[in-house]
Structure formats: C-alpha cells, structure tokens
Amino acid sequence: MSAIRFVPANLVLATIGLALATFMQVLDTTIANVALTSITGNLGASSEQGTWVITSFAVCNAIALPLTGWMARRVGEVRLFIGSVCLFMFTSFLCGIATSLPELVFFRALQGFVAGPLYPIAQTLLIAIYPAARRGMALSLLAMVAVVAPILGPISGGWLTDNYSWPWIFFINLPIGLFAALVVWSQLRNRPEETEQKPIDYVGLALLVLGVGLLQVVLDKGNDLDWFESEFIIYSAAIAVIALMAMLIWEMTEEHPVINLRLFKHRNFTFGTIVLVLGYSAFFGLNLLLPVWLQTRMGYTAVWAGLAAAPIGIVPVILSPIVGRFGYKVDMRLLTSLAFLAMALSSFGRAEFTLGVDYYHIAMIQLAMGLGVALFFMPATTILLSSLSPREIADGSGLATFLRVLGGSFASSLTTWWWHRQAAVEHARLTEHITPYSAATQHYLDQLGGPTLQHYGRLEELLESQAYMISTVDYFALLGWIFLALMAAVWFAKPPFLSAVSIRR
C-alpha cells in the first residue's frame, strides 16, 4: 500500500456504498429461508429438494471466502469489489427468473461464489480509506451490518413473499447493488493498487473446492439425512477431511499458496480468529434456535418470531458508532470480555424461560443481548488484524470471515442436532413418570374428563412441549458457559493492538 493514504472525494458516500453492498450480500444469506415453501410450491419441487437453494449458496460462498486475498492481489481490491457487486446483481436477476429448481440452485451457487469477496474486501477498503483514529467506526459499521442484516433477512423475505412473490427477494438486490456499485466506483476508481500475476496454485485450489465444498454440504444436509446413518454423509465427510488435510499440508509448503495459512504465525491473528469464530458460532446458534423454537413450539409466525429476535440489533445500531469512535482508548481484550459477559448473562436469562414466557420478556432479553453484540465484533476484528501488514489485510479478513462463516455452519448443524436429541432424551425421562398408577397422571386426566385416547393425546402433546422447553433452556445455559469461557480465551492475545489496521491518534 502506498505510504500516502488515498482519500475519496466523499468519505461518507464511499462508506454508504461499501456498507450497502455488504448489507445486500449478508441479507441474502437468510432472506430465502422463509420463502422455501413458496419457491418449492411454485417450481414443483419437494421441501427436501428446496433446501438446496440454501445449501448451494452456502457451499460456494464458503469456497470463495478464503480465495479473497488471492483474487484481490490479481485484479485489485476495488475492481474485485465492483466486479463482485455487478455479478451479484446479475446472478440475483437469474435467480428471480429461474423456471425450475435445478436452474435456481445453479444460479444460487453462482450468486454465493461471487458474493464471497464482498464482506472482506469492504472491510479492507474501509480500513484503507479511513484515518487511523476513525477506523474503529468503519469496523463497527460492518459489525452492525453483520448483525442486523441476518435478522432482517427472514422478516423482509417473509413480507416480500407474502405481499408480492418469491422472485422479489432476489430482484430487490438490483437497485441496491446498482447504487452501491456506482457510488463505490465513482469514489474509489482512482485509488492506486498494486497487482501480482503469480502462478496459480491449481492443486491448492482444487483441494479447497473439494474439501470445503463437501464439508459445507455435510454440515447443511447432515440433519436431513440423519448424519452418519447416510452413506452419502459418510463418504462426503471422509473425502472432505482427506482433502482438507492434504490442502493444509500443500498450502504450508507451496511458494504461491492460494490461501495464506502463514498468517497463523501471528499470535493475535490466531487467538483473535479463535475468539471471533467461537463467539460468533455461539451467537449464531442462539439466534438460530430462538426463532425455530418460537415458531414450532410457541405458535409464533415467521414474521413475529423475527420481530421477537429483532431487538438484538437496536443497541448495536446506537452504540456501534460510539464504540468505534472511543473504543480505541480501552484495551480491546477488556471490551471483548465485557461483550462476552453481557452475552453470557443474557443467555442465562433465556435459560429461565418457560412455556408461559411472553413476547415482551423475550424481546427485552434480546435487547440486552445487543449490548454484548455491540462490544464484540469491532474489538475482536481489531485484535485479529492488528499484527498484519497492509498487504496481508485482505488475506486475513477473507480467511477470518471464511472461518467465521464455517463456524456458523457448524453451529447451525450442531444446534439443530443437539436440540432434537436432547428433547428426545427429556421426553423419554418424562414419560417414565406417566403411568396408570401415578396420582399426578390420574389427576391431570380427571381434569380433562377421564382417561380417553384424546386426553392421552393431549398429555403426549404436553410432554413433547415440556421436553423441547427443557432442551431449549439447557442449550441457552450451555451457551452462557461458553461465553464465560471465551472471556478468558481473549486474554491470550497480546498488546499492543496499534498497527496498520488498529486505532491510534
């Protein structure tokens, strides 16, 4: 990077363009989830086949993320960002006009791949164009996007599908993307960039595609196919593990690796990435389970479940600029620890939920959780990028984002598996107490009018609801302890955090 920082003509406008494009991309990771029923019904596919609309995007997005640094070095960061936005708009249009499920899955795969560089390159460009004392605000802005967009995805997706039709969840990207591309190009097209035309690491690239692609498929389809009861999952997992191990060995010895794994020699990058990935995974698992539980066990609609979860984004919207502006005055490890403490306390608060919990109580706990979220992303990102040189930022941001997304995929699969499995265990335990000779059982049946098949069915429904309630609060408590453990883990990072990407006067 040049010693003289490039300053766009309008810093605010450039920031809006970068943030909007990133918001559009992150929103698309969840916006299609609530539209699957409409999509499969319209395209004549089964619900199981429809999940590939989600899986295809996730797989190709995961493959593209670690390639970000390599692609940026070859074509330049601004060109890569603009190209990704334009291709994202084009593939969104193709998704909207798809006439069959195979077409839609293919276009979603393309959309996921071209979306890969958007978040890490936006992060890199914001760091590059902001003065040192205001870079925290830039990182906080992207952190806010990363939190708010996935929450708004199901809400906006449900509203567009109900009021218009499912193609509009893709068409909405066109005006947003066009505006973002024009703004970023007008503001950053003259930014000087150095490119490299080094040999392509075909072996590393092939192993990456095979290993990461199959691993993402395993994580996305594991629950549907009953994990290792499926030969497809067994073979896919085995090939993924072998490919990833081979990739690690190859990339560590390759002169021009497609993924720069040598970044892990930096202590702060290693521990910062660990904290970011594990913290985000726990956060992701919590916010995945809550809407599912509300919809399947508490009778909430998709929109109301989304609205119950949405308050988590209010505090980050308010506090992120403040944290970004003044956070550099405090030890980043302390801010991150405070974030995990707030997340832990809110998780333990959720562990007190019962079947009688109301919307207000749920929303207030989500609002409190937002304090932890507001203090988490910017400090964690600052720590992991603090020891990297300017030329390593794109590599580091892409690799950390990839591992964060992969951690979210693990959290998604493990959360669903654990929730159903624990509910089955609790159901069996509760059933042991239901016998014709139990006074409590007889009293409950008498209240209903006697021991009939219909009343036994009511009793079974109650047992199932209680089993899932116990499973839910146990999972929230487990996440609370994980957040507390991460409070200690962040202190393995070593100051100073003042470098090319951190905050200084």
Side-chain angles (χ1 to χ4, degrees):
M1 182 182 296
S2 172
I4 301 176
R5 180 175 59 88
F6 174 81
V7 181
N10 190 317
L11 186 60
V12 173
L13 198 57
T15 302
I16 291 173
L18 291 168
L20 267 180
T22 307
F23 181 85
M24 172 186 68
Q25 181 263 315
V26 178
L27 186 77
D28 254 53
T29 61
T30 59
I31 196 170
N33 294 17
V34 295
L36 284 184
T37 301
S38 297
I39 291 173
T40 53
N42 184 261
L43 298 180
S46 67
S47 58
E48 183 177 337
Q49 292 171 325
T51 59
W52 282 101
V53 173
I54 309 297
T55 301
S56 59
F57 183 95
V59 168
C60 293
N61 190 252
I63 291 171
L65 277 168
L67 296 174
T68 298
W70 172 72
M71 290 189 286
R73 287 192 299 272
R74 292 188 69 87
V75 302
E77 291 158 354
V78 175
R79 291 189 188 91
L80 177 58
F81 187 85
I82 297 297
S84 294
V85 172
C86 292
L87 289 173
F88 189 83
M89 288 190 295
F90 179 63
T91 52
S92 295
F93 174 74
L94 293 177
C95 289
I97 64 172
T99 57
S100 67
L101 187 66
E103 278 185 20
L104 180 57
V105 169
F106 177 71
F107 295 145
R108 276 284 283 178
L110 293 179
Q111 186 190 42
F113 185 83
V114 300
L118 288 177
Y119 187 93
I121 293 299
Q123 192 173 68
T124 302
L125 290 173
L126 284 173
I127 289 170
I129 64 178
Y130 267 79
R134 298 175 64 192
R135 286 173 188 155
M137 293 185 65
L139 293 177
S140 294
L141 176 66
L142 279 192
M144 183 177 66
V145 168
V147 172
V148 174
I151 296 172
L152 292 181
I155 299 174
S156 58
W159 185 83
L160 287 170
T161 302
D162 291 342
N163 291 277
Y164 297 95
S165 59
W166 67 262
W168 281 98
I169 66 176
F170 301 112
F171 291 151
I172 194 67
N173 294 328
L174 301 182
I176 299 174
L178 181 61
F179 176 80
L182 291 175
V183 167
V184 173
W185 179 249
S186 68
Q187 296 298 314
L188 300 181
R189 67 179 184 275
N190 295 323
R191 178 175 179 262
E193 295 182 329
E194 298 178 8
T195 58
E196 301 175 350
Q197 299 299 320
K198 293 182 178 180
I200 299 176
D201 176 17
Y202 289 106
V203 174
L205 182 60
L207 291 172
L208 171 73
V209 172
L210 181 63
V212 173
L214 284 178
L215 177 61
Q216 189 69 47
V217 169
V218 168
L219 293 175
D220 277 16
K221 305 299 289 185
N223 283 303
D224 295 337
L225 300 178
D226 199 18
W227 291 103
F228 295 105
E229 296 299 319
S230 165
E231 290 188 358
F232 173 77
I233 293 296
I234 293 174
Y235 292 137
S236 297
I239 296 171
V241 169
I242 293 171
L244 290 174
M245 291 179 62
M247 185 194 72
L248 291 176
I249 296 171
W250 178 269
E251 295 295 274
M252 291 300 294
T253 57
E254 169 64 21
E255 183 179 357
H256 304 292
V258 71
I259 304 177
N260 188 5
L261 296 177
R262 296 180 180 90
L263 295 178
F264 286 106
K265 70 182 180 182
H266 300 292
R267 177 174 176 171
N268 283 358
F269 181 78
T270 299
F271 286 103
T273 301
I274 290 173
V275 167
L276 177 70
V277 171
L278 294 181
Y280 177 80
S281 298
F283 162 77
F284 188 90
L286 187 152
N287 284 284
L288 169 74
L289 181 58
L290 182 66
V292 172
W293 171 64
L294 290 176
Q295 290 179 70
T296 59
R297 299 297 158 189
M298 300 294 287
Y300 282 59
T301 64
V303 173
W304 276 104
L307 291 174
I312 198 172
I314 295 175
V315 177
V317 170
I318 298 172
L319 282 189
S320 288
I322 300 173
V323 173
R325 178 65 181 87
F326 300 105
Y328 72 94
K329 296 183 178 181
V330 183
D331 190 322
M332 294 295 165
R333 297 171 299 178
L334 178 60
L335 284 178
T336 310
S337 294
L338 290 175
F340 287 139
L341 178 61
M343 291 179 177
L345 292 177
S346 64
S347 296
F348 290 134
R350 290 182 187 84
E352 300 297 321
F353 284 175
T354 66
L355 288 173
V357 67
D358 58 18
Y359 172 88
Y360 177 80
H361 192 186
I362 297 169
M364 288 301 100
I365 293 288
Q366 288 293 98
L367 184 67
M369 178 76 166
L371 175 62
V373 174
L375 297 175
F376 170 54
F377 282 96
M378 188 278 280
T381 303
T382 300
I383 290 172
L384 72 91
L385 295 178
S386 63
S387 56
L388 304 185
S389 69
R391 291 185 62 81
E392 292 177 320
I393 294 175
D395 279 302
S397 181
L399 185 54
T401 304
F402 158 67
L403 293 174
R404 175 173 65 81
V405 171
L406 195 63
S409 296
F410 270 101
S412 176
S413 295
L414 291 176
T415 296
T416 304
W417 171 79
W418 192 92
W419 188 52
H420 290 300
R421 176 185 176 277
Q422 193 66 14
V425 171
E426 293 297 335
H427 186 278
R429 185 179 64 82
L430 292 173
T431 304
E432 293 176 358
H433 302 282
I434 306 301
T435 69
Y437 310 104
S438 167
T441 303
Q442 289 298 329
H443 178 68
Y444 179 79
L445 292 174
D446 288 342
Q447 285 184 319
L448 295 178
T452 65
L453 288 177
Q454 181 182 4
H455 295 157
Y456 273 114
R458 292 274 301 276
L459 180 59
E460 169 61 23
E461 291 176 5
L462 177 63
L463 289 179
E464 187 172 353
S465 295
Q466 289 290 354
Y468 273 99
M469 186 73 257
I470 296 172
S471 176
T472 302
V473 298
D474 284 351
Y475 185 73
F476 288 152
L478 173 63
L479 292 182
W481 290 111
I482 291 175
F483 285 127
L484 288 180
L486 288 172
M487 287 180 64
V490 71
W491 290 90
F492 284 98
K494 183 178 181 181
F497 304 117
L498 305 178
S499 73
V501 298
S502 57
I503 318 304
R504 64 174 182 265
R505 289 191 180 274

